[in-house]
Amino acid sequence: MATNVLIRLIFTLLVTSKCIDSANILAIFPVPFKEHQLVYRPLIERLANGGHHITLLTTDPIDLHVAGSGALVERIQQIDVSFVYNLPVLEDLNTVSLDAKDMLRKIFNVMRKISEAELQHPSVQDLIKDDNHFDLVMVEWSGVTLMNAFAHHFKAPLVGITNGGAFINAHEAFGNPNHPVGYPSIFMPFSEDLNLLQRISSVFFTIWYRVYYYTREIPKQNVIARANIDSNLPDLLDIEESADLLLINSYQALGNVRPVGPTTIYLGGIHRKLKLGDDMTEDLALFLEHSPEPIVYVNLDLDPVTDYYRLEKIVAALETLDATVVWNWNQGQFVNTSTRIYQSYNLPQEEILAHPKVKLFITGGGQRNIEDAIHHRVPVFGVSYSSLLEHYLRQIAKYEAGIISLIDFETQHTITDKLQDAFQLENYQSNMDKLNRLLADQPLDSLERAAWWIEYVIRHGGTKHLRAPQLSWFQYLVLDVTVTVAILAALAMLAVVYFIGWAVRYSKSLPFEMVTRGSRKCKQL
């Protein structure tokens, strides 16, 4: 019996190893935001530990000796493009805009220029010119599709991955339903139960996005891609629509629930650490352990000069709580407060939130912050000051797992009352516990699901057999069918009218007695 079990185990291992042979993967994460880069690191390390060789183009290289075993050093080759952090164009994103159109124009413009600079970097040019073979190309999809050209250049399957919700064009590339009323863009300040004005706004925004992206943005990107990669590249829109897999790093329950094709996979929380404690400093651990009061953790990306009044309101509200504060702030200045506080930068957020004394998380939103709060069941006090982050705060309000403050439009008294409610009322903790259980109830964790689908694409050389049909806008709205049926119906109506008219004219041309049977009898009478 034991021998049979051993034989089956060995057979299973042999089959498994056969299915997941080592592959060469090109991973391109061109966005110069550390929050984005940190999200993808566990996936890269998981693929490398699974035996795959990774060529990683990143703005934040991984310290491989610290990150893991020597296997990572051997299997991950990094192309460092961190120089883009020094590009002046990044300053354009510091201007906060409440208008989704202006915000998207800035994102497209900045990322297009950054991608162009990265393509012109000597190390990237060497990658393009070298005779490399890749089994798969994985690209972060943040609107700009320039880097998708590498998939065509190396004749490899293309996988797009997003840090949060996907852009409109990403869903359309995979044939996913994209109705502006049922599934508004993540850049809209609403997500469900739209009123009439919101429906009108979403429809016009979607029309604007499609016109802008397909007629203005894609042509600009085509010029850059053909100048730096291959002058014979096909249209980037065609490359985008031929992608094999879309990985959306977002829990479906935290966004717009929508029908998607089999090659669109929702993840969520792939950045989550499997082991906590390694990044906790001794002094921070002692501060947390010996705190005489419940702890409020604060992580807000605020500038001490331009956001002075926001900081002033938050500090004043914190001073009314019987709590200790841990503040993650990297602006090089100290928070002026009488509250017992630990302030530093690059604090281990997950380790702090996992501490049993942490009772509230004050954040401006963002994918990673909200997911960390849910993973560790800490209620949220959301400070809304950027439309770019509002989508994730709205999910907290939806599940009543915290309170949101429109800090620029509320008085100090209102902000203080809201903060005290979030800190003291037990219903927010209860709702956060429920939300945690809701998201955790999955057959396979997000990281393993992402790795399995990437290896699926590698094993089968793509996913063309799973692709949803690509419908043009007039096919999607059934306009061609409607017009055809309308024309045929009109022709049928014309034929009937013509026949009736012909019958009337013909009857008038006949003698009276031939038209009406019994007419003679009428005359005799």
Side-chain angles (χ1 to χ4, degrees), residues 42-44 46-47 136 138 159 161 245 247-249 265-268 270 444-457:
L43 178 57
I44 293 299
R46 163 63 181 81
L47 292 171
L136 180 137
M138 179 166 54
V159 173
I161 186 169
L245 186 66
L247 300 174
I248 302 178
N249 182 39
I265 310 300
Y266 276 88
L267 303 172
I270 60 172
L444 197 66
D445 69 67
S446 298
L447 189 62
E448 290 303 316
R449 191 160 65 250
W452 187 90
W453 272 102
I454 288 171
E455 291 175 344
Y456 178 91
V457 174

Side-chain angles (χ1 to χ4, degrees), residues 374-390:
I374 297 171
H375 293 158
H376 300 289
R377 298 181 295 178
V378 179
V380 170
F381 180 77
V383 182
S384 178
Y385 55 85
S386 171
S387 58
L388 188 62
L389 306 176
E390 283 181 0

Side-chain angles (χ1 to χ4, degrees), residues 400-411:
E400 298 182 359
I403 297 179
I404 310 304
S405 170
L406 301 175
I407 191 168
D408 294 330
F409 306 98
E410 295 176 348
T411 64

Side-chain angles (χ1 to χ4, degrees), residues 13 25 33 99 104 109 127 132 146 195 229 236 250 297 328 331 394 398 400 402 438 468-469 504 513 518:
L13 291 174
I25 299 173
F33 293 106
D99 182 72
L104 277 168
N109 185 58
L127 173 68
N132 295 300
L146 269 170
N195 58 40
I229 299 178
L236 285 172
S250 176
Y297 173 59
N328 190 350
Q331 295 296 335
R394 289 197 302 272
K398 171 184 173 182
E400 298 182 359
L438 179 68
V504 171
E513 55 272 14

Side-chain angles (χ1 to χ4, degrees), residues 162-384:
T162 72
N163 179 65
F167 284 33
I168 290 175
N169 58 287
H171 281 293
E172 292 189 343
F174 281 82
N176 297 330
N178 215 18
H179 198 283
V181 175
Y183 326 111
S185 167
I186 58 172
F187 294 99
M188 292 278 90
F190 41 76
S191 58
E192 55 189 359
D193 299 327
L194 279 61
N195 58 40
L196 179 60
L197 291 178
Q198 290 173 337
R199 292 197 295 272
I200 293 172
S201 176
S202 183
V203 168
F204 277 99
F205 173 80
T206 303
I207 294 172
W208 171 86
Y209 184 97
R210 288 169 173 163
V211 172
Y212 181 84
Y213 182 77
Y214 296 124
T215 65
R216 297 188 61 183
E217 186 59 34
I218 285 292
K220 293 178 182 179
Q221 296 180 34
N222 279 329
V223 172
I224 296 172
R226 288 165 181 162
N228 293 281
I229 299 178
D230 186 350
S231 59
N232 296 319
L233 273 177
D235 194 290
L236 285 172
L237 181 58
D238 295 333
I239 298 177
E240 181 180 284
E241 292 180 345
S242 67
D244 295 278
L245 186 66
L246 175 61
L247 300 174
I248 302 178
N249 182 39
S250 176
Y251 291 105
Q252 267 188 304
L254 294 183
N256 300 324
V257 177
R258 63 193 302 161
V260 294
T263 54
T264 298
I265 310 300
Y266 276 88
L267 303 172
I270 60 172
H271 71 278
R272 188 176 184 181
K273 295 180 180 178
L274 299 178
K275 181 182 178 183
L276 297 177
D278 294 341
D279 298 327
M280 180 77 79
T281 60
E282 184 177 354
D283 61 331
L284 176 58
L286 289 173
F287 183 87
L288 296 174
E289 191 63 33
H290 295 288
S291 172
E293 303 165 316
I295 296 170
V296 175
Y297 173 59
V298 184
N299 186 0
L300 294 168
D301 187 17
L302 297 178
D303 184 88
V305 178
T306 59
D307 298 313
Y308 174 77
Y309 292 105
R310 292 170 179 166
L311 285 168
E312 194 175 51
K313 287 182 176 180
I314 294 167
V315 171
L318 282 170
E319 289 177 344
T320 66
L321 302 179
D322 295 326
T324 297
V325 176
V326 175
W327 198 310
N328 190 350
W329 200 33
N330 60 359
Q331 295 296 335
Q333 296 192 19
F334 291 100
V335 177
N336 185 16
T337 179
S338 59
T339 303
R340 188 169 183 267
I341 186 172
Y342 183 103
Q343 180 191 339
S344 186
Y345 62 94
N346 290 333
L347 293 177
Q349 179 161 290
E350 288 197 72
E351 281 84 348
I352 293 172
L353 291 173
H355 197 279
K357 288 187 178 181
V358 176
K359 192 171 182 181
L360 186 67
F361 181 19
I362 299 179
T363 175
Q367 173 91 15
R368 184 185 173 205
N369 290 332
I370 296 303
E371 288 184 352
D372 283 347
I374 297 171
H375 293 158
H376 300 289
R377 298 181 295 178
V378 179
V380 170
F381 180 77
V383 182
S384 178

Side-chain angles (χ1 to χ4, degrees), residues 80-102:
D80 184 356
V81 289
S82 58
F83 74 94
V84 297
Y85 277 109
N86 299 319
L87 296 180
V89 71
L90 271 178
E91 296 296 326
D92 293 346
L93 294 181
N94 292 336
T95 304
V96 178
S97 173
L98 295 178
D99 182 72
K101 296 177 184 177
D102 291 339

Side-chain angles (χ1 to χ4, degrees), residues 97-122:
S97 173
L98 295 178
D99 182 72
K101 296 177 184 177
D102 291 339
M103 181 172 60
L104 277 168
R105 285 193 194 97
K106 289 179 182 179
I107 292 174
F108 282 130
N109 185 58
V110 170
M111 282 309 306
R112 187 184 343 104
K113 293 179 179 178
I114 286 174
S115 297
E116 182 177 17
E118 290 170 340
L119 286 175
Q120 294 172 352
H121 190 271

